[in-house]
Amino acid sequence: MAKSKVLVVGGTGYIGRRIVKASLAQGHETYVLQRPEIGLDIEKVQMLLSFKKQGARLVEASFSDHRSLVDAVRQVDVVICTMSGVHFRSHNVLVQLKLVEAIKDAGNVKRFLPSEFGMDPARMGHALEPGRVTFDEKMTVRKAIEESKIPFTYVSANCFAGYFAGNLAQMGTLLPPKDKVLIYGDGNVKVVYMDEDDVATYTIKTIDDLRTLNKTVYLRPPENVLSQRELIEKWEKLTGRQLDKSSLSEQDFLSSMKGLDYASQVGVGHFYHIFYEGCLTNFETGQDAEEASQLYPEVNYTRMDEYLKIYA
């Protein structure tokens, strides 16, 4: 079977650049949306040019020009959107509704992967304010996709290791603590940590796979399902140093939201659901879902003891 042509929207972003790389590596004809709004952002321009050098094709289109978006998606079989959904960067989830309209009008797209890549929003209807806005907006996009009868795959990638593993799940830093580490509750809730390049590899593998059509794909490789304590133990074994541990109760953690700015409140809410509630692992995947490491056992995914070595 011929490999699908892929358009990546948000290709200069944190996960988007990895999706572009993985698509090229797996032999797909790869297109990257180039928006005129990029203006004088030299780093993004140079990244786009580097993609071009690697064999990707740049396609000019704008979210404010419906016709240009339709023309862009007509050139490909699969559209993957990786626009940011986190509030401390840029939050663009609902902009995807314009992309859904373009895909619907173009009528040729065999698969659309919207910007998900975190917790499964379908399981977060109970989420705390204000953090639940992320899940509500993703569900709004899903509703538009499904009402438009657009074939889809939703990728639930859980916790990016760069944000959650390298810092041993400490908020407000991306580096491991030197002396003291804060443990959420008893620290035994299971969490899923993913190397971002593996997220991209698994994502591209789904796009021509009939087993993932109109399903959610969970990235939950067994050796990366770890409690916070297990993650800390890996770091301590790697460095040969014990950290001073203190525990934060659920009540005290939730109290810490008071007085924080909006983006920080969103982040604290998400941490609560992951590390106290166990929202990434407290369910079976179910019938309308697949687990990536079972589908693609040939992927030698990065284990967290290996991932942490760069920080040591």
Side-chain angles (χ1 to χ4, degrees):
M1 191 172 75
K3 287 180 180 281
S4 288
K5 296 178 183 177
V6 180
L7 173 66
V8 182
V9 180
T12 60
Y14 182 66
I15 205 70
R17 71 190 76 164
R18 292 171 168 87
I19 298 272
V20 173
K21 182 180 163 190
S23 179
L24 289 167
Q26 292 181 42
H28 292 273
E29 198 171 307
T30 305
Y31 297 70
V32 184
L33 196 75
Q34 178 180 336
R35 295 190 286 156
E37 297 89 334
I38 204 164
L40 296 174
D41 192 329
I42 187 66
E43 289 185 359
K44 287 188 176 180
V45 169
Q46 290 184 341
M47 197 184 301
L48 287 169
L49 293 174
S50 77
F51 293 154
K52 189 177 175 184
K53 200 173 178 181
Q54 292 165 52
R57 303 185 186 197
L58 305 183
V59 185
E60 285 193 39
S62 170
F63 280 96
S64 57
D65 179 356
H66 177 70
R67 178 49 46 197
S68 72
L69 280 181
V70 172
D71 291 344
V73 301
R74 278 204 175 127
Q75 297 180 56
V76 298
D77 309 301
V78 172
V79 178
I80 304 174
C81 187
T82 61
M83 296 177 77
S84 174
V86 292
H87 283 79
F88 63 87
R89 288 165 78 95
S90 55
H91 185 78
N92 300 312
V93 171
L94 289 181
V95 176
Q96 293 180 97
L97 294 174
K98 294 182 178 181
L99 192 54
V100 171
E101 284 300 311
I103 291 169
K104 185 168 78 172
D105 285 358
N108 64 296
V109 171
K110 295 193 300 188
R111 194 86 64 103
F112 177 41
L113 283 68
S115 188
E116 296 249 344
F117 306 108
M119 303 177 227
D120 180 0
R123 296 184 179 276
M124 299 307 295
H126 65 291
L128 297 173
E129 296 282 8
R132 65 170 297 139
V133 65
T134 304
F135 313 118
D136 291 344
E137 289 182 359
K138 286 181 177 180
M139 290 307 292
T140 298
V141 174
R142 285 190 181 192
K143 186 168 181 278
I145 292 166
E146 291 167 27
E147 285 179 350
S148 300
K149 305 278 194 292
I150 295 169
F152 63 84
T153 298
Y154 303 139
V155 177
S156 178
N158 299 303
C159 288
F160 293 159
Y163 283 105
F164 289 91
N167 56 3
L168 308 184
Q170 305 301 284
M171 296 193 78
T173 180
L174 295 175
L175 296 170
K178 290 186 166 55
D179 306 306
K180 299 177 182 177
V181 64
L182 193 61
I183 290 176
Y184 305 115
D186 62 11
N188 293 323
V189 170
K190 295 288 187 180
V191 177
V192 187
Y193 300 94
M194 289 298 305
D195 178 296
E196 293 84 345
D197 291 328
D198 292 343
V199 171
T201 298
Y202 282 126
T203 297
I204 295 300
K205 281 192 168 286
T206 70
I207 63 177
D208 284 330
D209 189 343
L210 289 176
R211 295 173 298 176
T212 63
L213 181 62
N214 296 335
K215 287 186 179 179
T216 298
V217 176
Y218 293 97
L219 275 49
R220 203 193 267 188
E223 289 186 50
N224 283 8
V225 181
L226 303 165
S227 70
Q228 189 192 8
R229 283 191 182 273
E230 288 170 328
L231 183 70
I232 292 166
E233 280 169 20
K234 287 182 182 295
W235 176 250
E236 290 177 333
K237 186 177 176 185
L238 189 62
T239 60
R241 292 196 311 273
Q242 294 291 307
L243 293 170
D244 182 20
K245 301 170 187 70
S246 57
S247 183
L248 189 62
S249 73
E250 188 172 332
Q251 193 173 358
D252 287 345
F253 184 80
L254 289 173
S255 296
S256 73
M257 284 178 74
K258 289 174 189 155
L260 294 177
D261 61 71
Y262 183 83
S264 299
Q265 286 187 44
V266 169
V268 168
H270 292 182
F271 260 70
Y272 170 76
H273 294 299
I274 294 167
F275 291 100
Y276 288 93
E277 192 178 82
C279 70
L280 304 182
T281 56
N282 62 3
F283 61 91
E284 297 297 320
T285 53
Q287 286 186 324
D288 293 326
E290 299 287 348
E291 196 285 307
S293 68
Q294 289 181 7
L295 289 180
Y296 314 112
E298 69 278 9
V299 175
N300 181 24
Y301 63 88
T302 304
R303 277 67 171 173
M304 286 302 105
D305 41 7
E306 190 65 32
Y307 189 94
L308 287 171
K309 283 180 181 175
I310 197 170
Y311 297 90

